[in-house]
Amino acid sequence: MEPKIKQVDSMAANRIHNGFYGQDIISVSQFDRARLDYILGVGNEMKILVERFGSADLLQGKILANLFYEPSTRTSSSFMAAMLRLGGQVIPINNVQYSSVTKGESLPDTVRTLESYADIIVIRHPEVGSAATAAHYASKPVINAGDGVGEHPTQALLDLYTIVEALGEVGGLKVAMVGDLKFGRTVHSLTKLLVNYPVEFTFVSPEILRMPKDVLDVVAASGHRYEEREDVHEIIGDVDVLYVTRVQKERFTDLAEYDMVKDRYVVDPELMSRAKERMIIMHPLPRVNEISYAVDNDPRAAYFRQMRNGMYIRMALLAAVLGKA
Ligand code: CP
């Protein structure tokens, strides 16, 4: 089936595009259906651009400061690749250990410094609200690449793109999120984004890693149904999207608790044999043990496509925010 990623309508696109120009991207709450359609449509055009030409000069002369206070492989390198493929350049601060942060420089001063050199700042930081703080002090646009256990909005956008690409549309899907729902910023953002569509949610986790109340409140307030479970076997046969997350050792203060829950959920060929033929398994990556390597060649395994889609969606965001989409 042809994925239902809408082509960009030029009149509507102009209005929406103007809404992105110069804006910070801090939370998925900034996106309604029109903005989502727009970014998914531009993301699709970026995918076609890369497949046909490899790169373009849309952002030639623009500079991105890529500021990462926490480890990253995908988000950091896909933002860099996105900027480079659009003809821009990157100041990579992928390890703040080698920056003046180790001399005690504050986040506001670091941001003020980088915006003196760059046109846009991408930031990942361990504290919830840090991207909003950076945006407060910056006059240039700031994009949240993950603020602690808070949000990861660009991940949610690429997740949404992957779902539409694989299953054609979002409406009517049964979406299950599995694993560390308490600390997982990806599932917080994706849940809050998916309330824009008529989906059914199932949250599967151990008791100590349940989805936070503020996220459940957003689901309930939007009129969506959800259920909470502990056993993935009970729901696997019924879901269209199984979104698996890593239990994040780095977020636990009590490592005994981590050891108790770390291997609770493992997606393996036996579990997949109970899943529908037309469904997808997603993971923001990195994975540890929660998806067996034996599942990687299953056509329902979407996590590597998901990872690649991150570059297209980040190209779309950079172009939109810098006024060049
Ligand atoms: N999905 C994700 O955020 O991966 P990284 O931590 O490697 O950026």
Side-chain angles (χ1 to χ4, degrees), residues 263-311:
D263 292 325
R264 177 73 65 89
Y265 304 107
V266 178
V267 178
D268 58 15
E270 191 281 322
L271 186 74
M272 291 307 291
S273 72
R274 303 170 185 224
K276 291 202 254 187
E277 256 182 50
R278 187 164 185 273
M279 59 84 73
I280 53 171
I281 173 160
M282 302 178 71
H283 193 306
L285 302 177
R287 68 175 152 184
V288 185
N289 293 323
E290 57 278 1
I291 301 179
S292 152
Y293 282 71
V295 174
D296 291 355
N297 290 328
D298 187 312
R300 295 168 292 183
Y303 33 93
F304 295 130
R305 296 198 296 276
Q306 181 185 353
M307 169 182 80
R308 208 161 34 245
N309 288 338
M311 183 175 73

Short mmCIF file of all heavy atoms in Angstrom, two decimals, residues 263-311:
data_model
loop_
_atom_site.label_atom_id
_atom_site.label_comp_id
_atom_site.label_asym_id
_atom_site.label_seq_id
_atom_site.Cartn_x
_atom_site.Cartn_y
_atom_site.Cartn_z
N ASP A 263 15.67 -7.13 32.20
CA ASP A 263 15.41 -8.08 31.13
C ASP A 263 13.97 -8.60 31.15
O ASP A 263 13.70 -9.71 30.70
CB ASP A 263 16.41 -9.25 31.22
CG ASP A 263 17.82 -8.80 30.89
OD1 ASP A 263 17.98 -7.92 30.03
OD2 ASP A 263 18.78 -9.30 31.52
N ARG A 264 13.06 -7.78 31.66
CA ARG A 264 11.67 -8.22 31.79
C ARG A 264 11.04 -8.51 30.42
O ARG A 264 10.27 -9.43 30.26
CB ARG A 264 10.87 -7.14 32.53
CG ARG A 264 9.38 -7.42 32.67
CD ARG A 264 9.09 -8.51 33.71
NE ARG A 264 9.47 -8.09 35.03
CZ ARG A 264 8.67 -7.43 35.88
NH1 ARG A 264 7.45 -7.12 35.51
NH2 ARG A 264 9.09 -7.10 37.07
N TYR A 265 11.37 -7.69 29.42
CA TYR A 265 10.74 -7.87 28.10
C TYR A 265 11.81 -8.12 27.05
O TYR A 265 12.73 -7.31 26.89
CB TYR A 265 9.95 -6.62 27.72
CG TYR A 265 8.92 -6.25 28.76
CD1 TYR A 265 9.11 -5.14 29.58
CD2 TYR A 265 7.78 -7.03 28.95
CE1 TYR A 265 8.18 -4.81 30.55
CE2 TYR A 265 6.85 -6.72 29.93
CZ TYR A 265 7.06 -5.60 30.73
OH TYR A 265 6.15 -5.29 31.70
N VAL A 266 11.68 -9.24 26.36
CA VAL A 266 12.59 -9.54 25.25
C VAL A 266 11.74 -9.96 24.05
O VAL A 266 10.97 -10.92 24.13
CB VAL A 266 13.58 -10.67 25.62
CG1 VAL A 266 14.49 -10.98 24.42
CG2 VAL A 266 14.42 -10.29 26.84
N VAL A 267 11.87 -9.19 22.98
CA VAL A 267 11.15 -9.54 21.75
C VAL A 267 12.03 -10.53 20.99
O VAL A 267 13.15 -10.20 20.59
CB VAL A 267 10.88 -8.28 20.90
CG1 VAL A 267 10.19 -8.67 19.59
CG2 VAL A 267 10.05 -7.28 21.68
N ASP A 268 11.53 -11.74 20.81
CA ASP A 268 12.29 -12.78 20.11
C ASP A 268 11.38 -13.44 19.08
O ASP A 268 10.18 -13.13 19.00
CB ASP A 268 12.88 -13.78 21.13
CG ASP A 268 11.81 -14.42 21.99
OD1 ASP A 268 10.62 -14.32 21.63
OD2 ASP A 268 12.16 -15.02 23.02
N PRO A 269 11.92 -14.36 18.27
CA PRO A 269 11.08 -14.97 17.22
C PRO A 269 9.84 -15.66 17.79
O PRO A 269 8.78 -15.66 17.15
CB PRO A 269 12.04 -15.98 16.57
CG PRO A 269 13.39 -15.35 16.75
CD PRO A 269 13.35 -14.73 18.11
N GLU A 270 9.94 -16.19 19.00
CA GLU A 270 8.76 -16.85 19.59
C GLU A 270 7.65 -15.83 19.82
O GLU A 270 6.48 -16.07 19.47
CB GLU A 270 9.18 -17.53 20.90
CG GLU A 270 8.12 -18.48 21.48
CD GLU A 270 6.98 -17.77 22.22
OE1 GLU A 270 7.24 -16.76 22.91
OE2 GLU A 270 5.83 -18.20 22.07
N LEU A 271 8.01 -14.66 20.37
CA LEU A 271 6.99 -13.62 20.59
C LEU A 271 6.43 -13.15 19.25
O LEU A 271 5.22 -12.96 19.09
CB LEU A 271 7.58 -12.44 21.38
CG LEU A 271 6.56 -11.38 21.79
CD1 LEU A 271 5.69 -11.88 22.95
CD2 LEU A 271 7.23 -10.07 22.18
N MET A 272 7.32 -12.97 18.27
CA MET A 272 6.88 -12.47 16.96
C MET A 272 5.97 -13.46 16.26
O MET A 272 5.14 -13.08 15.42
CB MET A 272 8.09 -12.13 16.08
CG MET A 272 8.90 -10.93 16.56
SD MET A 272 7.90 -9.44 16.81
CE MET A 272 7.47 -9.02 15.12
N SER A 273 6.09 -14.76 16.59
CA SER A 273 5.23 -15.77 15.96
C SER A 273 3.77 -15.58 16.39
O SER A 273 2.85 -16.07 15.75
CB SER A 273 5.71 -17.17 16.30
OG SER A 273 5.43 -17.46 17.66
N ARG A 274 3.55 -14.85 17.49
CA ARG A 274 2.18 -14.58 17.97
C ARG A 274 1.65 -13.24 17.46
O ARG A 274 0.51 -12.90 17.74
CB ARG A 274 2.16 -14.53 19.49
CG ARG A 274 2.68 -15.78 20.16
CD ARG A 274 2.82 -15.45 21.63
NE ARG A 274 3.43 -16.54 22.37
CZ ARG A 274 2.98 -16.96 23.54
NH1 ARG A 274 1.94 -16.38 24.10
NH2 ARG A 274 3.59 -17.93 24.17
N ALA A 275 2.52 -12.46 16.79
CA ALA A 275 2.10 -11.12 16.35
C ALA A 275 1.39 -11.20 15.00
O ALA A 275 1.51 -12.18 14.27
CB ALA A 275 3.33 -10.21 16.24
N LYS A 276 0.65 -10.12 14.69
CA LYS A 276 -0.04 -10.07 13.40
C LYS A 276 0.98 -10.05 12.26
O LYS A 276 2.11 -9.59 12.44
CB LYS A 276 -0.88 -8.79 13.31
CG LYS A 276 -2.06 -8.75 14.23
CD LYS A 276 -3.08 -7.77 13.69
CE LYS A 276 -3.15 -6.50 14.44
NZ LYS A 276 -4.19 -5.57 14.10
N GLU A 277 0.53 -10.45 11.07
CA GLU A 277 1.45 -10.40 9.92
C GLU A 277 1.72 -8.97 9.50
O GLU A 277 2.81 -8.62 9.07
CB GLU A 277 0.84 -11.15 8.74
CG GLU A 277 1.48 -12.51 8.56
CD GLU A 277 0.92 -13.24 7.38
OE1 GLU A 277 0.85 -12.64 6.29
OE2 GLU A 277 0.56 -14.41 7.58
N ARG A 278 0.65 -8.15 9.61
CA ARG A 278 0.81 -6.74 9.24
C ARG A 278 0.87 -5.89 10.50
O ARG A 278 -0.14 -5.47 11.05
CB ARG A 278 -0.35 -6.30 8.34
CG ARG A 278 -0.16 -4.91 7.77
CD ARG A 278 -1.08 -4.63 6.59
NE ARG A 278 -0.76 -3.34 6.02
CZ ARG A 278 -1.27 -2.18 6.45
NH1 ARG A 278 -2.13 -2.18 7.45
NH2 ARG A 278 -0.92 -1.04 5.89
N MET A 279 2.06 -5.73 11.00
CA MET A 279 2.32 -4.88 12.17
C MET A 279 3.78 -4.50 12.08
O MET A 279 4.51 -5.01 11.23
CB MET A 279 2.01 -5.60 13.49
CG MET A 279 2.75 -6.87 13.77
SD MET A 279 4.39 -6.66 14.52
CE MET A 279 4.01 -6.17 16.19
N ILE A 280 4.21 -3.56 12.93
CA ILE A 280 5.64 -3.24 12.96
C ILE A 280 6.15 -3.22 14.39
O ILE A 280 5.41 -2.92 15.33
CB ILE A 280 5.98 -1.89 12.27
CG1 ILE A 280 5.14 -0.73 12.84
CG2 ILE A 280 5.86 -2.00 10.79
CD1 ILE A 280 5.60 0.64 12.35
N ILE A 281 7.42 -3.53 14.49
CA ILE A 281 8.10 -3.41 15.77
C ILE A 281 9.10 -2.26 15.65
O ILE A 281 9.87 -2.19 14.69
CB ILE A 281 8.74 -4.73 16.20
CG1 ILE A 281 9.58 -4.55 17.44
CG2 ILE A 281 9.58 -5.36 15.12
CD1 ILE A 281 9.83 -5.84 18.14
N MET A 282 9.00 -1.34 16.60
CA MET A 282 9.84 -0.14 16.57
C MET A 282 10.69 -0.08 17.84
O MET A 282 10.36 -0.69 18.86
CB MET A 282 8.97 1.12 16.48
CG MET A 282 8.06 1.14 15.27
SD MET A 282 7.00 2.60 15.21
CE MET A 282 8.18 3.91 14.85
N HIS A 283 11.76 0.69 17.77
CA HIS A 283 12.64 0.91 18.93
C HIS A 283 13.44 2.17 18.61
O HIS A 283 13.97 2.30 17.51
CB HIS A 283 13.57 -0.30 19.12
CG HIS A 283 14.30 -0.32 20.44
ND1 HIS A 283 15.05 0.74 20.89
CD2 HIS A 283 14.39 -1.28 21.39
CE1 HIS A 283 15.56 0.44 22.08
NE2 HIS A 283 15.17 -0.78 22.41
N PRO A 284 13.54 3.12 19.55
CA PRO A 284 14.31 4.32 19.25
C PRO A 284 15.81 4.03 19.14
O PRO A 284 16.55 4.83 18.58
CB PRO A 284 14.01 5.25 20.43
CG PRO A 284 13.58 4.35 21.54
CD PRO A 284 12.93 3.16 20.90
N LEU A 285 16.23 2.91 19.71
CA LEU A 285 17.64 2.51 19.76
C LEU A 285 18.43 3.52 20.62
O LEU A 285 18.05 4.68 20.66
CB LEU A 285 18.25 2.36 18.37
CG LEU A 285 17.51 1.34 17.46
CD1 LEU A 285 18.16 1.33 16.07
CD2 LEU A 285 17.54 -0.08 18.05
N PRO A 286 19.50 3.17 21.27
CA PRO A 286 20.15 1.87 21.21
C PRO A 286 19.37 0.79 21.98
O PRO A 286 18.67 1.10 22.93
CB PRO A 286 21.50 2.12 21.89
CG PRO A 286 21.22 3.21 22.87
CD PRO A 286 20.20 4.09 22.21
N ARG A 287 19.54 -0.46 21.53
CA ARG A 287 18.94 -1.57 22.27
C ARG A 287 20.02 -2.25 23.10
O ARG A 287 21.21 -2.15 22.77
CB ARG A 287 18.32 -2.59 21.32
CG ARG A 287 19.34 -3.33 20.49
CD ARG A 287 18.76 -4.43 19.64
NE ARG A 287 19.57 -4.64 18.45
CZ ARG A 287 19.28 -5.48 17.47
NH1 ARG A 287 18.20 -6.21 17.51
NH2 ARG A 287 20.07 -5.59 16.42
N VAL A 288 19.59 -2.96 24.12
CA VAL A 288 20.54 -3.79 24.87
C VAL A 288 20.11 -5.24 24.63
O VAL A 288 20.55 -5.86 23.67
CB VAL A 288 20.59 -3.40 26.36
CG1 VAL A 288 21.68 -4.20 27.08
CG2 VAL A 288 20.90 -1.91 26.50
N ASN A 289 19.18 -5.75 25.47
CA ASN A 289 18.73 -7.14 25.25
C ASN A 289 17.28 -7.23 24.83
O ASN A 289 16.76 -8.32 24.66
CB ASN A 289 18.88 -7.94 26.56
CG ASN A 289 20.34 -8.12 26.92
OD1 ASN A 289 21.18 -8.30 26.05
ND2 ASN A 289 20.64 -8.03 28.21
N GLU A 290 16.61 -6.07 24.69
CA GLU A 290 15.14 -6.13 24.59
C GLU A 290 14.60 -6.56 23.23
O GLU A 290 13.42 -6.89 23.12
CB GLU A 290 14.50 -4.82 25.06
CG GLU A 290 14.94 -3.57 24.34
CD GLU A 290 16.26 -3.00 24.84
OE1 GLU A 290 16.88 -3.58 25.75
OE2 GLU A 290 16.70 -1.99 24.29
N ILE A 291 15.44 -6.54 22.19
CA ILE A 291 15.03 -7.16 20.92
C ILE A 291 16.16 -8.09 20.49
O ILE A 291 17.31 -7.66 20.32
CB ILE A 291 14.78 -6.12 19.80
CG1 ILE A 291 13.70 -5.12 20.23
CG2 ILE A 291 14.35 -6.83 18.52
CD1 ILE A 291 13.39 -4.05 19.18
N SER A 292 15.80 -9.35 20.30
CA SER A 292 16.80 -10.34 19.88
C SER A 292 17.29 -10.03 18.46
O SER A 292 16.50 -9.61 17.60
CB SER A 292 16.13 -11.72 19.94
OG SER A 292 16.72 -12.58 19.01
N TYR A 293 18.57 -10.24 18.21
CA TYR A 293 19.11 -10.02 16.86
C TYR A 293 18.42 -10.92 15.84
O TYR A 293 18.39 -10.61 14.64
CB TYR A 293 20.63 -10.28 16.84
CG TYR A 293 21.43 -9.12 17.41
CD1 TYR A 293 21.41 -8.84 18.78
CD2 TYR A 293 22.19 -8.30 16.59
CE1 TYR A 293 22.14 -7.78 19.30
CE2 TYR A 293 22.91 -7.22 17.10
CZ TYR A 293 22.88 -6.97 18.46
OH TYR A 293 23.58 -5.91 18.97
N ALA A 294 17.86 -12.03 16.31
CA ALA A 294 17.17 -12.96 15.41
C ALA A 294 15.90 -12.35 14.81
O ALA A 294 15.35 -12.89 13.86
CB ALA A 294 16.82 -14.25 16.17
N VAL A 295 15.46 -11.21 15.36
CA VAL A 295 14.25 -10.55 14.83
C VAL A 295 14.61 -9.55 13.72
O VAL A 295 13.76 -9.11 12.95
CB VAL A 295 13.49 -9.85 16.00
CG1 VAL A 295 12.31 -9.04 15.51
CG2 VAL A 295 13.04 -10.87 17.03
N ASP A 296 15.89 -9.21 13.61
CA ASP A 296 16.28 -8.10 12.72
C ASP A 296 15.85 -8.29 11.27
O ASP A 296 15.56 -7.31 10.57
CB ASP A 296 17.81 -7.88 12.77
CG ASP A 296 18.27 -7.33 14.11
OD1 ASP A 296 17.41 -7.02 14.96
OD2 ASP A 296 19.49 -7.22 14.30
N ASN A 297 15.84 -9.53 10.80
CA ASN A 297 15.49 -9.76 9.39
C ASN A 297 14.00 -9.99 9.17
O ASN A 297 13.57 -10.20 8.04
CB ASN A 297 16.29 -10.93 8.82
CG ASN A 297 17.76 -10.56 8.67
OD1 ASN A 297 18.08 -9.39 8.42
ND2 ASN A 297 18.65 -11.53 8.86
N ASP A 298 13.24 -9.94 10.23
CA ASP A 298 11.78 -10.04 10.11
C ASP A 298 11.29 -8.78 9.40
O ASP A 298 11.66 -7.67 9.80
CB ASP A 298 11.17 -10.14 11.53
CG ASP A 298 9.68 -10.42 11.51
OD1 ASP A 298 8.95 -9.75 10.76
OD2 ASP A 298 9.26 -11.32 12.27
N PRO A 299 10.49 -8.89 8.34
CA PRO A 299 10.03 -7.67 7.62
C PRO A 299 9.26 -6.72 8.52
O PRO A 299 9.12 -5.53 8.20
CB PRO A 299 9.14 -8.21 6.50
CG PRO A 299 9.05 -9.68 6.68
CD PRO A 299 10.01 -10.13 7.73
N ARG A 300 8.75 -7.20 9.64
CA ARG A 300 8.02 -6.32 10.56
C ARG A 300 8.97 -5.48 11.43
O ARG A 300 8.52 -4.56 12.11
CB ARG A 300 7.10 -7.16 11.45
CG ARG A 300 6.01 -7.86 10.65
CD ARG A 300 5.28 -8.91 11.46
NE ARG A 300 6.16 -10.05 11.76
CZ ARG A 300 5.76 -11.16 12.40
NH1 ARG A 300 4.51 -11.26 12.80
NH2 ARG A 300 6.61 -12.13 12.63
N ALA A 301 10.25 -5.80 11.42
CA ALA A 301 11.23 -5.03 12.22
C ALA A 301 11.50 -3.70 11.53
O ALA A 301 12.13 -3.65 10.48
CB ALA A 301 12.52 -5.82 12.38
N ALA A 302 11.00 -2.61 12.10
CA ALA A 302 11.09 -1.30 11.44
C ALA A 302 12.17 -0.41 12.05
O ALA A 302 12.35 0.73 11.61
CB ALA A 302 9.74 -0.59 11.51
N TYR A 303 12.90 -0.91 13.05
CA TYR A 303 13.76 0.01 13.82
C TYR A 303 14.95 0.55 13.06
O TYR A 303 15.41 1.65 13.36
CB TYR A 303 14.19 -0.61 15.16
CG TYR A 303 14.39 -2.10 15.17
CD1 TYR A 303 15.64 -2.65 14.93
CD2 TYR A 303 13.32 -2.95 15.42
CE1 TYR A 303 15.82 -4.02 14.96
CE2 TYR A 303 13.50 -4.33 15.44
CZ TYR A 303 14.75 -4.86 15.20
OH TYR A 303 14.92 -6.22 15.20
N PHE A 304 15.44 -0.16 12.06
CA PHE A 304 16.56 0.43 11.30
C PHE A 304 16.05 1.46 10.28
O PHE A 304 16.69 2.48 10.04
CB PHE A 304 17.40 -0.66 10.64
CG PHE A 304 18.10 -1.55 11.65
CD1 PHE A 304 18.01 -2.93 11.56
CD2 PHE A 304 18.83 -1.02 12.69
CE1 PHE A 304 18.64 -3.76 12.49
CE2 PHE A 304 19.46 -1.83 13.63
CZ PHE A 304 19.36 -3.20 13.52
N ARG A 305 14.86 1.19 9.72
CA ARG A 305 14.25 2.19 8.83
C ARG A 305 13.91 3.45 9.64
O ARG A 305 14.11 4.58 9.17
CB ARG A 305 12.95 1.64 8.21
CG ARG A 305 13.15 0.45 7.33
CD ARG A 305 11.94 0.23 6.43
NE ARG A 305 10.71 -0.10 7.12
CZ ARG A 305 10.36 -1.32 7.53
NH1 ARG A 305 11.18 -2.33 7.32
NH2 ARG A 305 9.21 -1.54 8.13
N GLN A 306 13.43 3.23 10.85
CA GLN A 306 13.06 4.32 11.76
C GLN A 306 14.27 5.23 12.00
O GLN A 306 14.19 6.46 11.92
CB GLN A 306 12.59 3.66 13.05
CG GLN A 306 12.12 4.52 14.17
CD GLN A 306 11.81 3.65 15.41
OE1 GLN A 306 11.85 2.41 15.36
NE2 GLN A 306 11.53 4.28 16.52
N MET A 307 15.40 4.60 12.27
CA MET A 307 16.64 5.33 12.54
C MET A 307 17.05 6.17 11.31
O MET A 307 17.43 7.33 11.44
CB MET A 307 17.69 4.27 12.86
CG MET A 307 19.09 4.68 12.93
SD MET A 307 20.09 3.21 13.27
CE MET A 307 20.20 2.46 11.66
N ARG A 308 16.93 5.57 10.12
CA ARG A 308 17.31 6.28 8.89
C ARG A 308 16.36 7.45 8.64
O ARG A 308 16.78 8.52 8.19
CB ARG A 308 17.27 5.29 7.72
CG ARG A 308 18.22 5.63 6.60
CD ARG A 308 18.53 4.48 5.67
NE ARG A 308 17.46 3.54 5.44
CZ ARG A 308 17.48 2.26 5.80
NH1 ARG A 308 18.52 1.75 6.39
NH2 ARG A 308 16.45 1.47 5.54
N ASN A 309 15.08 7.24 8.95
CA ASN A 309 14.09 8.31 8.73
C ASN A 309 14.40 9.54 9.57
O ASN A 309 13.96 10.64 9.25
CB ASN A 309 12.69 7.79 9.07
CG ASN A 309 12.18 6.81 8.02
OD1 ASN A 309 12.65 6.80 6.89
ND2 ASN A 309 11.22 5.97 8.40
N GLY A 310 15.14 9.35 10.65
CA GLY A 310 15.51 10.49 11.50
C GLY A 310 16.22 11.57 10.72
O GLY A 310 16.00 12.77 10.95
N MET A 311 17.06 11.18 9.79
CA MET A 311 17.80 12.19 9.02
C MET A 311 16.85 13.00 8.14
O MET A 311 16.96 14.24 8.06
CB MET A 311 18.87 11.53 8.17
CG MET A 311 19.71 12.53 7.41
SD MET A 311 21.05 11.75 6.53
CE MET A 311 20.19 10.96 5.19
#
